[in-house]
Amino acid sequence: MKFRAKMIVLLVAAAAALLLGIGIGSVYVAPGDILAIIANHLFGTPLPDALPKSYPAMVLNMRLPRVILAFLTGAALAMGGTVTQSILQNPLASPFGLGISAGAGLGAAIVITFGFAAAGLGAFLLPSVSLGFALATVFLVVFLSSRLDRGVSNVTIILVGTVFSLFCNAVMNLLATSSPAYAERVQLWLLGSFSMKEWDAVWVLAAATALGLVFFLFYARELDVMTFGEESAQAMGVDLIRHKRILLAAVAALTGAAVAFVGIIGFVDLIAPHIVRRWFGAAHRKVLPASALFGGTFLVLCDLAARTLVPAREIPIGAITALLGAPFFLYIFFAGRKNRG
């Protein structure tokens, strides 16, 4: 199957997942009604006479921003995972494992626990601090890696990132247990949720995801070369240390923007790139947009499961992705060992 046909399949799957995510809930909204409501909002076309009056507000103000935000979050995390795995030449590497998500979570936990406020930021204070901590985390990881290893090898970055992730998680747990009044809010944020999200978050993440895709496509050739190993990259004239720093900083910015609004969501950045590479090959001009589509579709379906598996209750989205991601992690690990053996 050619690349264009595969992308069409992904686009159809993404559209179907979006319609399912918007339509299924406490009240079912048919796909035709969803499209009619969106067309009425955008172009002023008439609504069906039989459509209940409460449906347009429910679709436009509650379900649509939630589902689009879930799609954009999945797309951003999947692209971040794709780039991280290519830089470090490790199918088990991810922004989550490097401590970027944990760093963003630590920033959020500090804001929640100490009740910080800043004039002019309002609802964007917590996302802004989370993004700042995500960027600081990757800079610290690269700095410490360069101190331990002048060549900044991939193994060193992974080990330092893992240690830093554990440290951030320990501090977050300490903050949660020392502040019982905020413990539940911190824990809920750390498990991730798309509930009660508004259009402001959607527009910010849409811009970040689009810029991230364009930026990574600009470095597609360098990513292709890095995939073949450090020695091959150096032989082809790629400045490994410089490109690692630039690309990891971009991954941190994109991942931080994604988790800043919805909390920490793991394993999407591990699952999506691995599956997409099996289907699309190694060329990043193909893998990056395909990973974005697959990751977005995957997270929309995970969010749908989180909302509907338990009646009248919502499971944290991070729990759903972990239930799927942990066995997948083990599969990749043991398959890799079998291939090497």
Side-chain angles (χ1 to χ4, degrees):
M1 189 182 293
K2 294 183 178 180
F3 173 70
R4 184 177 297 179
K6 293 176 182 179
M7 287 299 291
I8 290 173
V9 171
L10 279 180
L11 285 168
V12 171
L18 289 169
L19 288 174
L20 284 173
I22 297 168
I24 297 176
S26 57
V27 176
Y28 175 72
V29 183
D33 291 336
I34 295 170
L35 296 176
I37 291 170
I38 295 173
N40 171 262
H41 180 72
L42 294 177
F43 310 112
T45 57
L47 292 169
D49 295 333
L51 188 73
K53 293 183 179 180
S54 62
Y55 278 22
M58 178 180 66
V59 168
L60 294 173
N61 299 329
M62 296 176 64
R63 294 191 183 179
L64 192 59
R66 174 178 183 140
V67 171
I68 293 178
L69 187 64
F71 184 87
L72 291 170
T73 302
L77 293 175
M79 285 193 293
T82 300
V83 174
T84 303
Q85 290 174 11
S86 297
I87 295 171
L88 303 180
Q89 298 126 41
N90 190 327
L92 298 177
S94 69
F96 183 85
L98 287 181
I100 296 171
S101 295
L106 178 58
I110 291 172
V111 171
I112 293 170
T113 303
F114 294 102
F116 289 135
L121 286 177
F124 286 94
L125 173 63
L126 190 146
S128 299
V129 174
S130 298
L131 176 58
F133 269 71
L135 289 169
T137 298
V138 78
F139 288 136
L140 280 171
V141 168
V142 173
F143 174 75
L144 291 174
S145 299
S146 64
R147 288 286 181 173
L148 295 171
D149 179 3
R150 289 186 178 181
V152 194
S153 69
N154 298 333
V155 174
T156 304
I157 292 176
I158 293 172
L159 289 175
V160 173
T162 302
V163 171
F164 203 83
S165 179
L166 293 171
F167 174 77
C168 289
N169 284 321
V171 176
M172 282 187 281
N173 287 324
L174 181 63
L175 289 173
T177 54
S178 62
S179 305
Y182 299 100
E184 184 177 356
R185 187 181 170 194
V186 171
Q187 290 298 329
L188 285 174
W189 195 91
L190 295 179
L191 290 172
S193 174
F194 295 109
S195 64
M196 305 302 292
K197 302 301 178 184
E198 299 182 355
W199 282 105
D200 288 345
V202 174
W203 299 130
V204 172
L205 188 53
T209 304
L211 288 172
L213 177 59
V214 172
F215 181 85
F216 291 138
L217 286 174
F218 180 78
Y219 280 92
R221 176 189 169 276
E222 287 79 4
L223 288 167
D224 288 343
V225 173
M226 287 181 175
T227 304
F228 294 107
E230 295 185 341
E231 292 182 0
S232 299
Q234 289 174 343
M236 297 182 72
V238 174
D239 188 343
L240 275 177
I241 296 177
R242 177 174 173 271
H243 283 98
K244 280 181 183 179
R245 288 172 176 170
I246 292 173
L247 289 167
L248 285 175
V251 168
L254 185 58
T255 303
V259 305
F261 289 102
V262 301
I264 296 177
I265 300 172
F267 292 103
V268 178
D269 48 9
L270 173 71
I271 295 173
H274 188 80
I275 293 177
V276 168
R277 280 198 176 94
R278 289 290 184 93
W279 200 22
F280 284 84
H284 284 82
R285 289 194 178 276
K286 298 178 180 180
V287 170
L288 283 165
S291 292
L293 280 174
F294 185 91
T297 303
F298 174 75
L299 201 54
V300 167
L301 294 176
C302 287
D303 182 53
L304 179 60
R307 290 187 282 120
T308 57
L309 283 179
V310 179
R313 296 196 67 179
E314 182 175 326
I315 303 171
I317 184 67
I320 298 293
T321 57
L323 284 172
L324 297 172
F328 194 83
F329 182 95
L330 292 175
Y331 163 74
I332 297 174
F333 178 76
F334 285 111
R337 289 189 62 183
K338 184 178 179 181
N339 291 335
R340 288 191 298 270

